[in-house]
Amino acid sequence: MKNIEIAGSGYAVPGRCITNHDLEKTVDTSDEWITARTGISTRYVSETENTVSLGCRAAVNAIANAGITPADIDLIIVATMTGDNLTPSTACLIQEKLGINSRHVMAFDINAACSGFIYAMHIASAMLGQYRCALVIGAETLSKIIDWTDRNTCVLFGDGAGAVIMRPGEKSHMAFYADSAGDSSGTLQATGPLLHPALENCQRTFGYLHMDGKEVFRFAVKAIEDSIHHVLEGTGVTPEEIDLIIPHQANIRIISYVARKMGLPMEKFFINLDTFGNTSAASIAIAFAQAQQQGLIRPGMKIVLVGFGAGFTNGAVYIRM
Ligand code: ACO
């Protein structure tokens, strides 16, 4: 286990809230179907903000919550699959907006889809020591890769960003677990614009997010349970002793299935997908910040963050606060 603390957290969502009833007007769906099958009631969708600005707003809130200044930060990692540019990275553009001009800052993006925030925390933990203070962000504008005429996907996702400040600290301990399994079958994918022009039949178009919901469901429930067990290995802590589990906010049925299977009460699981939908790499970061704001995270508590997503990827972070 590593002596690392979360010094602060924050989140940001765009201004426009889309309800299930709003979606009834644009696709063949109903509030009843969406609520019963997913648990989602509303999601926030960007009209004017990009991934950089959402990530930056979450970062500003996390910095204020930690009581530090941007100048204290020397490592910035952004988990996203919807960065605004291929380059510069989202992290570098957030660095600029925050006015972090020191020459000894490392800033970069990573993509592990909905597990991205877990991966980014894991990477930050390995780099802290050499670096003093990490700003770890999960930020997405998924609305730009959603086909808003496809009822199978458009009801599920939202935009947003969350951030934490991580730094070495004796008070709390963390353990990390990550896993990936390459899968090019198209079960969960959004194809990119960068096929090489020399390739035959190359198309310079990108595809909307496509998902085989049932396959993803099967993967997700196993990934959550496996990740929780693996991250607790060597900690001496059992799943029953965990005070709060903050899972990737994809679908209430995935979470309640896992709770039943593991024999854990639903009250242990923090849920905000009803409000925000699935915000991919941002979801766990937003949920952590919101749980902290609500006073649900207190010193001495044992917490697990757990994610799963395209790739396939999955992973977890154990935190003894
Ligand atoms: N409104 C009304 N009907 C719908 C909708 C909708 N929004 N979407 C699909 N349907 C229809 C389908 O077309 C299908 O109709 P048919 O029987 O006439 O063909 C019917 O509902 C049943 O469809 P299923 O796909 O079998 O529905 P299911 O019960 O599996 O629920 C869901 C679909 C909610 C997507 C489910 O499979 C699921 O939760 N999967 C996990 C998906 C997920 O969480 N993905 C994100 C995680 S990974 C990541 O975060 C990137």
Side-chain angles (χ1 to χ4, degrees), residues 132-301:
R132 291 186 318 266
C133 183
L135 167 61
V136 182
I137 302 171
E140 303 281 12
T141 40
L142 292 165
S143 54
K144 64 193 177 194
I145 61 163
I146 298 299
D147 177 354
W148 289 95
T149 66
D150 175 15
R151 69 176 181 176
N152 292 294
T153 50
C154 75
V155 301
L156 302 174
F157 297 95
D159 299 335
V164 294
I165 305 292
M166 291 172 67
R167 63 186 178 198
E170 293 299 322
K171 276 184 285 181
S172 63
H173 316 285
M174 291 191 196
F176 299 86
Y177 171 74
D179 190 25
S180 68
D183 175 78
S184 64
S185 67
T187 304
L188 183 55
Q189 72 172 22
T191 51
L194 285 179
L195 292 178
H196 196 284
L199 290 175
E200 230 174 293
N201 301 324
C202 151
Q203 289 183 335
R204 282 198 166 265
T205 55
F206 77 91
Y208 290 119
L209 192 76
H210 169 81
M211 179 182 72
D212 176 340
K214 281 193 169 37
E215 271 305 310
V216 173
F217 195 102
R218 268 191 282 276
F219 159 71
V221 292
K222 186 169 181 328
I224 296 177
E225 189 175 355
D226 286 355
S227 299
I228 293 174
H229 283 300
H230 282 298
V231 81
L232 293 181
E233 272 170 23
T235 64
V237 177
T238 65
E240 293 72 28
E241 290 171 330
I242 297 299
D243 299 302
L244 186 66
I245 298 173
I246 302 183
H248 169 47
Q249 304 287 313
N251 186 317
I252 194 67
R253 284 162 62 220
I254 292 175
I255 297 168
S256 50
Y257 182 98
V258 171
R260 250 193 337 271
K261 177 116 189 303
M262 294 184 74
L264 299 173
M266 271 305 271
E267 294 69 47
K268 272 194 199 278
F269 291 81
F270 182 82
I271 311 286
N272 67 7
L273 59 85
D274 48 328
T275 308
F276 298 118
N278 179 347
T279 57
S280 191
S283 94
I284 295 170
I286 294 173
F288 183 90
Q290 211 190 19
Q292 201 158 43
Q293 274 184 15
Q294 291 173 6
L296 299 175
I297 297 179
R298 295 180 293 276
M301 281 178 74

Side-chain angles (χ1 to χ4, degrees), residues 18-35 43 154-155:
I18 297 187
T19 66
N20 293 347
H21 293 295
D22 293 330
L23 290 171
E24 285 174 350
K25 296 176 196 138
T26 54
V27 287
D28 182 12
T29 191
S30 66
D31 176 47
E32 292 74 29
W33 194 97
I34 302 171
T35 309
R43 69 287 290 146
C154 75
V155 301

